[in-house]
């Protein structure tokens, strides 16, 4: 199964970053975490991809008090999504016409749902942001939707105040990404290999 899982993880993370770049270049709004990244980039002048890595690392540090353990997928998420997003921003032009913006955003959203199914389906652990939500849920028993909503509203508000791009794309992302990954994750999850258990036959005496 490793022959499939590791390439699936790497491809999923690369496509995830590229999908983020597509939505950024569409210019009609991005996910709450990317609003935060844009806002920090605007205030500091640092590259979007670098800030994506730094925010992921900071969120990973927040796993310590909630006793959440990272997997290989978590660590590679922190390292790889930023560079692939930066590559996408370098390759893709900014969309100006409305139809271009809609097509680019829709393609980015669909690609991100596919990429999420790939990297989570590889079963190497969640990304730092998703792990923070599930970790708080497990640690203190708060309802998952409350944890997710609270974190994302906070992140969105901070990013907006810093100058991140909040728009119709942000609303569409919030409404559509859940149902979309609900399809891609089960579809792309690598099945657990059955463990062969040797059973000795009893010889009648």
């Amino acid at each position: 199964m490793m022959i499939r899982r590791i390439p699936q993880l790497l491809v999923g993370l690369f496509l995830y970053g590229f999908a983020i770049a597509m939505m950024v270049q569409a210019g009609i709004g991005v996910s709450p975490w990317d609003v935060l990244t844009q806002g920090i980039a605007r205030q500091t002048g640092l590259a979007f991809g670098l800030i994506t890595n730094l925010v992921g690392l900071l969120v990973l540090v927040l796993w310590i008090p909630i006793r959440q353990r990272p997997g290989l997928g978590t660590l590679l998420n922190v390292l790889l999504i930023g560079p692939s997003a930066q590559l996408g921003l370098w390759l893709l032009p900014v969309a100006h016409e409305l139809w271009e913006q809609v097509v680019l955003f829709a393609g980015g959203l669909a690609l991100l749902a596919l990429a999420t199914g790939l990297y989570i389906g590889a079963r190497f652990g969640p990304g730092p942001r998703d792990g923070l939500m599930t970790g708080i849920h497990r640690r203190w028993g708060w309802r998952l939707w409350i944890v997710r909503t609270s974190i994302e509203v906070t992140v969105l508000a901070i990013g907006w105040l810093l100058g991140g791009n909040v728009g119709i794309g942000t609303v569409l992302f919030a409404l559509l990404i859940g149902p979309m990954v609900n399809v891609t994750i089960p579809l792309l999850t690598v099945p657990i290999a059955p463990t062969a258990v040797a059973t000795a036959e009893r010889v009648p005496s």
Side-chain angles (χ1 to χ4, degrees):
M1 286 297 177
M2 284 294 180
I3 296 175
R4 172 182 168 182
R5 289 174 65 200
I6 292 178
Q8 179 171 319
L9 172 67
L10 296 176
V11 169
L13 292 174
F14 174 81
L15 293 179
Y16 195 101
F18 202 86
I20 290 173
M22 291 174 68
M23 290 186 286
V24 169
Q25 298 298 66
I28 58 173
V30 290
S31 75
W33 284 100
D34 294 325
V35 171
L36 176 63
T37 302
Q38 283 185 320
I40 296 173
R42 182 162 294 182
Q43 297 300 321
T44 62
L46 296 174
F48 182 93
L50 175 61
I51 295 172
T52 298
N53 283 6
L54 294 176
V55 170
L57 182 60
L58 176 61
V59 173
L60 195 57
V61 171
L62 296 178
W63 282 30
I64 297 173
I66 59 175
R67 301 174 187 174
Q68 183 88 329
R69 293 184 179 181
L72 176 63
T74 311
L75 301 176
L76 290 179
N77 182 299
V78 173
L79 294 175
L80 298 181
I81 287 181
S84 81
Q86 196 62 43
L87 176 64
L89 292 174
W90 180 67
L91 291 174
L92 296 168
V94 176
H96 296 290
E97 299 292 334
L98 180 59
W99 71 267
E100 293 176 318
Q101 293 176 306
V102 171
V103 169
L104 192 58
F105 180 86
L109 184 61
L111 185 61
L112 189 134
L114 174 66
T116 302
L118 286 170
Y119 98 80
I120 291 182
R123 297 190 293 107
F124 281 111
R129 296 157 185 82
D130 289 333
L132 177 65
M133 298 172 198
T134 56
I136 291 173
H137 166 68
R138 291 195 191 104
R139 183 76 174 85
W140 289 296
W142 301 346
R143 292 188 178 184
L144 193 58
W145 71 268
I146 294 177
V147 177
R148 183 183 184 104
T149 302
S150 300
I151 291 175
E152 296 203 350
V153 167
T154 302
V155 165
L156 179 63
I158 295 171
W160 177 70
L161 290 172
L162 292 174
N165 182 12
V166 178
I168 185 62
T170 310
V171 176
L172 292 174
F173 183 94
L175 292 175
L176 298 177
I177 193 61
M180 291 172 75
V181 298
N182 196 47
V183 173
T184 61
I185 291 175
L187 188 65
L188 297 170
T189 296
V190 179
I192 299 174
T195 304
V197 180
T199 55
E201 294 184 359
R202 292 185 178 181
V203 179
S205 54

